[in-house]
Amino acid sequence: MNKEALIEKARNIRERAYVPYSKFPVGAALLTKGGKLYEGVNIENAAYPTTCCAERVAIFKAVADGYQTFEALAVIADTDRPVPPCGSCRQVMSEFFTKDTPVHTANLSGQSKTMTMEELLPFSFTPEDLSKK
């Protein structure tokens, strides 16, 4: 699946976001190494810290189904610039993405920017950091 198709999947799923508080719907589309697509939306809660972002919803759904290696992620929102993943999402992404996994960020105006995981979160904390040497 190419970048444009992945962004379009994120755009379409965005409509299902549950955002009664922020009114800021976000959609994400995640492609596994095996070619399976997982979609996510942000889901808010009146207890704000329990809110979950679209990127993490897509990743958690895929992991729950047994996938842990991913080809690419697209995320989209109605912003002035292509919407970047938040810090919490970047940390979760670093757990499952390689340093060169492309992350396509986009907005509803048609702008997009592709970055690698390394560009989004350089010098990230990874599972390898937990092993004693």
Side-chain angles (χ1 to χ4, degrees):
M1 180 176 294
N2 67 25
K3 170 185 170 178
E4 291 75 21
L6 200 60
I7 290 172
E8 188 61 26
K9 293 287 187 184
R11 177 188 300 270
N12 291 339
I13 195 68
R14 179 181 162 274
E15 300 301 320
R16 295 188 191 169
Y18 179 74
V19 291
Y21 309 105
S22 72
K23 310 288 191 256
F24 185 74
V26 179
L30 176 68
L31 188 63
T32 70
K33 288 282 187 185
K36 187 160 171 64
L37 178 71
Y38 283 89
E39 298 168 315
V41 296
N42 51 327
I43 302 169
E44 296 179 345
N45 189 279
Y48 296 136
T50 60
T51 294
C52 195
C53 299
E55 301 93 300
R56 285 182 283 146
V57 168
I59 292 168
F60 295 161
K61 285 169 63 176
V63 171
D65 274 357
Y67 294 93
Q68 294 184 7
T69 57
F70 303 103
E71 191 72 32
L73 173 79
V75 61
I76 192 168
D78 190 8
T79 50
D80 290 336
R81 63 180 180 156
V83 67
C86 74
S88 294
C89 288
R90 292 177 196 207
Q91 182 59 46
V92 169
M93 291 159 55
S94 76
E95 182 85 10
F96 297 102
F97 293 7
T98 65
K99 292 185 183 300
D100 63 341
T101 300
V103 178
H104 309 298
T105 63
N107 66 13
L108 298 183
S109 300
Q111 296 174 316
S112 67
K113 180 174 181 163
T114 300
M115 293 166 278
T116 64
M117 190 61 233
E118 176 70 13
E119 291 171 315
L120 279 172
L121 190 62
F123 197 64
S124 63
F125 184 82
T126 66
E128 291 78 26
D129 293 313
L130 295 173
S131 63
K132 293 183 181 181
K133 305 238 182 222

